[in-house]
Amino acid sequence: MIRELRTISRLCDLIYLVMEFFITLIQIGGTLIAILLLMAIIGLFFKRFRKMGLITLVGLVLLLTLTAVYFLSPRTYDRPYLAQQAQWEGISIREAATEAGIYIGAAVHSDNLYRSELLNSFNSLTPEVDLKLGHLFENEQVGTYDFSTADSIVEYALSNGIRVRGHTLVWGKLSAMFKAPDLDAYLEDFPEAERSSILKNLVDTHIKTVLSHYKGKIPQWDVVNEPLEIMGDGELEENVYLKYLGASYIADAFQLAHETDPDLQLVLNEILFNYQDERAEGFYQLVKQLQADGVPIHGVGLQSHILYTIPSIEALRVYIKRFTDLGLEVELTEVDARLRLFGDAEDPYHAQAEFYGELVQTCLDNPGCTGITFWGISDQSCWMDGQMIFPAPNEPFFYDAEYRMKPVMRVLATILTNAKGSRETIHMVEPATNADSEL
Ligand code: G3I
């Protein structure tokens, strides 16, 4: 153990040195840009230096533009995996995952639900949006429920023996960033003094209605999603729930969910950028406190969107164990590692596959880590595409945009086959008969 700790400490020193180097680089670059900007401004204010000021300013704008174009311009990589499609014919990781005792899941929506690749590769699924608050309301307006779309997904999953993760009952960003529905605007139609009780009633009704509707169909729910401030240091997000219901909105949601359906596995789901910063510590302390307060929390979801930096696998291993040591189950619930992050590798597609293999192996190595869900099936549809903050290629999934297998399929098939029988086989949903799956 001391040897491992010494290795981790040397690793942290190395990471610290690398970060120091990049911070210095940014400081130098930043200082240079600041000096040039100052020179330009001074030059513009003094007639004698105006020409120099103008040239400096134009130079600066040009430099910044070229830098932005370089970083934001899409990259393309060779696809050696295309030559291996024939060899991979027939690879199916769904059965291997079940026999290895782990859920391998995918986020689905109406466009990718009925693909054979779902049935071939996954034993779990998460509706990407259709179980969310606004999508369950007619026209995303608070009021009457329309379960038809979500029911079709859940029914399809059950009839094919696929587990469904419920995502999500209470999510502050949904009514802030995504406005579905815009609860702030909705509440502003009522007197200030009534807003808390109206929101409380809305949330409680939502939890009871949805959990009762899916009782016996969906075994695990992200009761609360992303409670932390996304750019914070572990503090709670100032969202509509915190504003009107206070910090207890989290515990209250779990308590009511448990009272509504005691058989459910109740999960707190969070997006983390690494597993060693203050946000990660804040999330762990929040969960530990909820548990200490007797809140019925059974697991945590570590979303694992790998967006800008590739996290330390060792740090993830340690972080997962911190939660399983509390007796909680852990799932990696929204995995997608942008291909661009592997752009320096000889074969980025293979490097991405290897990384996913490490994630799966890390989960397999801890019996308390019960599943990994990838936030899509094929690169044909990815939530990050088209957003400037995620310069292409993202391509994070098992199949490419033409639904051809990528190296991750081969890597995971090997790992899961080698893990066959190594863990308690997970409880799989028996394919439902028509009568059973009437929702
Ligand atoms: O379905 C409507 C369509 O009818 C309409 O024409 C279109 C344009 O307004 O919007 C469509 O709904 C969009 C929905 O995705 C389905 O595509 C919503 O506007 C859009 O906000 C929604 O984005 C989803 C987002 O959560 C918000 O619900 C993303 O697809 C989904 O990948 C993303 O997933 C989240 C997790 O739930 C939580 N963790 C972070 C993750 C990424 O943001």
Side-chain angles (χ1 to χ4, degrees):
M1 185 59 186
I2 293 173
R3 196 151 30 89
E4 273 101 3
L5 286 173
R6 197 172 292 125
T7 314
I8 292 172
S9 127
R10 283 204 196 106
L11 199 62
C12 292
D13 292 344
L14 179 66
I15 290 170
Y16 182 74
L17 278 174
V18 168
M19 283 174 68
E20 275 288 288
F21 169 70
F22 278 109
I23 288 169
T24 313
L25 210 60
I26 289 168
Q27 280 166 344
I28 294 171
T31 313
L32 188 64
I33 286 172
I35 290 169
L36 283 169
L37 195 56
L38 198 61
M39 281 172 59
I41 291 168
I42 291 169
L44 290 174
F45 271 104
F46 295 91
K47 202 166 179 170
R48 204 168 134 218
F49 299 111
R50 187 152 300 156
K51 196 172 175 190
M52 182 272 293
L54 211 55
I55 292 167
T56 313
L57 193 61
V58 167
L60 199 55
V61 167
L62 204 59
L63 174 70
L64 291 174
T65 309
L66 288 173
T67 310
V69 165
Y70 174 74
F71 279 107
L72 294 177
S73 57
R75 304 271 196 283
T76 52
Y77 307 117
D78 292 339
R79 297 175 186 266
Y81 68 86
L82 295 182
Q84 295 173 292
Q85 295 299 301
Q87 294 167 38
W88 297 345
E89 190 69 39
I91 283 184
S92 159
I93 58 175
R94 172 178 174 177
E95 200 175 315
T98 302
E99 289 174 353
I102 189 172
Y103 290 114
I104 298 288
V108 300
H109 42 72
S110 44
D111 298 350
N112 66 3
L113 177 64
Y114 302 105
R115 298 280 317 200
S116 60
E117 288 81 3
L118 170 70
L119 303 182
N120 165 37
S121 307
F122 304 97
N123 58 12
S124 175
L125 67 78
T126 305
E128 189 170 359
V129 296
D130 293 296
L131 282 174
K132 290 172 178 174
L133 183 68
H135 291 266
L136 287 175
F137 284 138
E138 272 176 6
N139 309 314
E140 295 197 348
Q141 298 304 312
V142 175
T144 48
Y145 282 86
D146 173 5
F147 286 105
S148 56
T149 306
D151 283 355
S152 57
I153 294 174
V154 175
E155 190 165 0
Y156 181 75
L158 290 177
S159 59
N160 285 284
I162 293 177
R163 178 204 64 166
V164 179
R165 291 200 74 251
H167 176 75
T168 176
L169 295 170
V170 178
W171 184 20
K173 285 184 193 67
L174 212 50
S175 64
M177 187 188 294
F178 296 109
K179 304 282 181 207
D182 185 341
L183 291 179
D184 268 309
Y186 170 73
L187 292 169
E188 270 157 28
D189 287 343
F190 300 96
E192 170 76 30
E194 296 172 17
R195 291 173 189 168
S196 293
S197 61
I198 289 169
L199 182 60
K200 178 68 178 148
N201 181 46
L202 187 154
V203 170
D204 288 1
T205 304
H206 183 64
I207 291 171
K208 288 184 283 193
T209 304
V210 176
L211 295 188
S212 305
H213 184 84
Y214 288 113
K215 187 172 178 60
K217 310 288 181 192
I218 299 178
Q220 180 185 103
W221 275 90
D222 293 335
V223 176
V224 173
N225 187 47
E226 299 172 19
L228 301 186
E229 193 60 56
I230 196 156
M231 300 312 283
D233 293 328
E235 69 276 17
L236 292 181
E237 177 187 65
E238 292 287 336
N239 59 41
V240 65
Y241 300 106
L242 188 69
K243 181 176 167 186
Y244 288 108
L245 304 179
S248 66
Y249 85 90
I250 300 170
D252 295 343
F254 274 83
Q255 195 56 52
L256 180 60
H258 184 64
E259 287 161 10
T260 307
D261 185 350
D263 298 331
L264 281 179
Q265 203 201 16
L266 305 178
V267 172
L268 185 63
N269 195 44
E270 183 58 72
I271 188 167
L272 296 165
F273 303 112
N274 69 57
Y275 306 103
Q276 298 159 303
D277 63 8
E278 289 176 280
R279 278 189 90 250
E281 187 57 29
F283 182 64
Y284 173 78
Q285 292 305 331
L286 169 63
V287 170
K288 197 174 176 188
Q289 190 56 55
L290 287 169
Q291 197 181 43
D293 294 345
V295 172
I297 178 168
H298 309 111
V300 295
L302 310 180
Q303 292 185 7
S304 311
H305 292 288
I306 315 295
L307 305 176
Y308 298 106
T309 53
I310 298 173
S312 147
I313 292 289
E314 190 46 37
L316 173 62
R317 185 187 307 276
V318 169
Y319 196 60
I320 289 174
K321 189 172 182 303
R322 290 183 77 188
F323 291 104
T324 55
D325 285 351
L326 292 177
L328 296 168
E329 290 203 349
V330 176
E331 295 214 13
L332 306 188
T333 51
E334 306 182 14
V335 179
D336 41 28
R338 295 177 54 235
L339 183 69
R340 190 152 169 149
L341 299 181
F342 305 92
D344 295 339
E346 189 184 339
D347 175 354
Y349 293 94
H350 181 72
Q352 183 189 54
E354 290 296 314
F355 173 75
Y356 284 156
E358 288 183 281
L359 283 188
V360 170
Q361 191 60 58
T362 301
C363 185
L364 281 169
D365 291 345
N366 185 326
C369 182
T370 48
I372 296 196
T373 294
F374 292 81
W375 207 236
I377 296 177
S378 105
D379 299 332
Q380 189 178 77
S381 153
C382 171
W383 66 280
M384 293 183 257
D385 288 348
Q387 300 194 52
M388 199 166 88
I389 54 171
F390 302 126
N394 295 307
E395 297 185 41
F397 301 130
F398 286 13
Y399 294 87
D400 68 17
E402 283 73 45
Y403 274 91
R404 295 167 302 197
M405 279 189 195
K406 290 160 65 180
V408 54
M409 290 286 287
R410 181 186 50 76
V411 169
L412 295 196
T414 306
I415 289 171
L416 292 166
T417 306
N418 292 342
K420 183 174 176 181
S422 64
R423 306 183 351 154
E424 292 270 307
T425 300
I426 42 178
H427 167 67
M428 280 319 299
V429 180
E430 288 305 317
T433 59
N434 284 337
D436 295 340
S437 64
E438 282 313 306
L439 284 166

